[in-house]
């Protein structure tokens, strides 16, 4: 039910990530260890109409985690109060309830900062956070390209298997395009936890591997690796596969550490269409 509510509440938001039931189930494992880290709201018919959640604190290290690529201390992923139908009063109540509960839920941990990520185009959600004392700490452009008139995908693009990610080192060999280079161990963990959605993963012969995140007219490319000299070709294969899924735009997130990736995508005709906005607030 939580996953269905997320899909409904974010259906109007451009470039909203899809998530998956595998990933939701993985995240709910933490709810068993920390029973009050999820808060749900039901209507009089016992239908779920809102929820908010948090994740246990972890030590955010510049060399291990994403933007802003600096040590943040012990960070708590602080969820957003999603409601459906949209209900601003309920959202406020969910937010305040989680804010009040967190010190007790994670009392055994050091707590330095709350973190959250949205799209720059999601003005309503960003305004909500700013009204509650959050500030922007980093911005990562989303480079996109129209998929109109896209060609059919090459015949040697096939669904990727878990075994392909076990051999991810065969594909993570291109010239410094991606800031993050996955090891087999990391790739399998992401696959098993649903962060890599196996339903939308493809292998382009022995040239590379890519993972898509389709949602309506937008298709994100969450992972894209190519063998030496093949990354651009893998991008083109990802674009054609995205078009087959009904996408009208394909996009990549490009962090400040990925200047080569930015340059290569620009040469392929990608332009900035949005941005990932990383928000934070000091934990009380």
């Amino acid at each position: 039910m939580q996953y269905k509510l997320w899909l409904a509440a974010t259906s109007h938001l451009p470039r909203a990530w899809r998530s998956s039931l595998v990933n939701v189930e993985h995240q709910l494992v933490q709810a068993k260890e920390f029973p009050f880290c999820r808060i749900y709201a039901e209507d009089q018919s016992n239908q779920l109409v809102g929820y908010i959640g948090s994740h246990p604190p972890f030590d955010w290290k510049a060399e291990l985690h994403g933007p802003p690529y600096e040590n943040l201390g012990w960070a708590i992923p602080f969820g957003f109060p999603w409601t459906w139908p949209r209900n601003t009063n309920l959202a406020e109540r969910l937010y305040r309830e989680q804010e009040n509960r967190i010190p007790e839920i994670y009392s055994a941990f050091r707590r330095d900062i709350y973190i959250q990520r949205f799209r720059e185009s999601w003005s309503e959600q960003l305004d909500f956070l700013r009204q509650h004392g959050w500030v922007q700490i980093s911005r990562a452009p989303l480079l996109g390209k129209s998929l109109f008139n896209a060609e059919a995908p090459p015949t040697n693009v096939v669904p990727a298997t878990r075994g392909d990610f076990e051999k991810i080192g065969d594909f993570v060999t291109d010239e410094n395009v991606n800031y993050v280079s996955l090891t087999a161990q990391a790739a399998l963990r992401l696959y098993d936890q649903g962060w890599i959605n196996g339903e939308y993963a493809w292998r382009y012969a022995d040239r590379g591997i890519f993972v898509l995140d389709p949602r309506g007219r937008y298709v994100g490319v969450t992972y894209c690796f190519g063998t030496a000299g093949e990354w651009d070709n893998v991008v083109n294969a990802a674009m054609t596969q995205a078009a087959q899924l009904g996408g009208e735009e394909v996009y990549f997130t490009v962090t400040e550490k990925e200047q080569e990736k930015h340059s290569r995508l620009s040469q392929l005709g990608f332009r900035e269409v949005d941005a990932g906005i990383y928000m934070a607030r000091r934990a009380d």
Side-chain angles (χ1 to χ4, degrees):
M1 293 300 295
Q2 175 182 324
Y3 183 50
K4 289 182 179 179
L5 190 146
W6 152 259
L7 291 176
T10 59
S11 61
H12 67 292
L13 296 173
R15 305 174 189 88
W17 40 94
R18 184 184 188 90
S19 188
S20 69
L21 285 175
V22 173
N23 186 244
V24 170
E25 290 169 359
H26 161 69
Q27 295 187 58
L28 288 178
V29 170
Q30 297 171 335
K32 297 179 180 179
E33 184 177 358
F34 302 96
F36 298 106
C37 70
R38 295 289 186 278
I39 304 172
Y40 299 99
E42 297 179 345
D43 63 15
Q44 294 180 347
S45 301
N46 298 320
Q47 295 296 310
L48 183 68
V49 292
Y51 77 90
I52 191 171
S54 61
H55 298 280
F58 63 96
D59 193 5
W60 187 292
K61 295 291 188 182
E63 66 274 15
L64 296 177
H65 303 103
Y69 299 111
E70 61 184 65
N71 296 333
L72 297 178
W74 282 79
I76 300 175
F78 191 109
F80 188 80
W82 297 107
T83 61
W84 190 258
R86 294 166 68 182
N87 185 324
T88 55
N89 290 331
L90 176 58
E92 181 66 28
R93 287 165 52 201
L94 287 167
Y95 179 92
R96 292 300 183 189
E97 182 67 21
Q98 176 167 271
E99 185 179 44
N100 292 333
R101 285 189 185 186
I102 279 180
E104 181 178 354
I105 296 171
Y106 304 122
S107 60
F109 295 85
R110 180 176 145 191
R111 304 180 305 280
D112 296 316
I113 195 168
Y114 297 139
I115 55 173
Q116 180 58 270
R117 171 178 64 103
F118 284 136
R119 302 302 189 208
E120 193 168 54
S121 56
W122 298 9
S123 57
E124 181 180 335
Q125 287 71 30
L126 290 171
D127 287 345
F128 181 95
L129 292 183
R130 292 187 182 106
Q131 290 167 10
H132 290 80
W134 293 65
V135 296
Q136 179 178 322
I137 59 172
S138 189
R139 180 183 186 274
L142 303 186
L143 299 190
K145 186 175 181 179
S146 170
L147 290 172
F148 289 115
N149 300 319
E151 300 177 357
T155 56
N156 48 358
V157 171
V158 297
T161 66
R162 188 178 186 276
D164 289 322
F165 287 96
E166 192 172 10
K167 299 181 290 184
I168 193 68
D170 294 345
F171 303 109
V172 187
T173 56
D174 205 10
E175 313 92 306
N176 194 33
V177 176
N178 297 283
Y179 175 70
V180 176
S181 293
L182 287 179
T183 64
Q185 182 180 12
L188 290 177
R189 182 177 66 253
L190 292 169
Y191 187 95
D192 292 339
Q193 294 177 354
W195 299 106
I196 289 177
N197 190 339
E199 184 179 357
Y200 296 105
W202 284 269
R203 176 172 54 83
Y204 183 18
D206 58 353
R207 297 181 174 188
I209 195 167
F210 59 89
V211 183
L212 303 180
D213 184 22
R215 187 84 190 273
R217 60 183 294 262
Y218 303 103
V219 181
V221 183
T222 53
Y223 294 93
C224 184
F225 296 104
T227 55
E230 292 287 352
W231 193 78
D232 292 3
N233 292 325
V234 180
V235 170
N236 286 325
M239 289 176 56
T240 57
Q241 190 64 52
Q244 291 294 303
L245 295 174
E248 298 176 11
E249 175 193 283
V250 65
Y251 66 91
F252 287 73
T253 299
V254 184
T255 72
E256 62 193 75
K257 298 284 189 178
E258 297 179 307
Q259 294 305 310
E260 175 66 16
K261 184 177 180 180
H262 193 292
S263 175
R264 297 274 283 275
L265 289 172
S266 296
Q267 293 172 17
L268 291 172
F270 283 74
R271 297 292 181 265
E272 185 170 327
V273 292
D274 207 335
I277 301 298
Y278 299 80
M279 304 288 286
R281 202 200 84 181
R282 299 307 304 179
D284 296 331

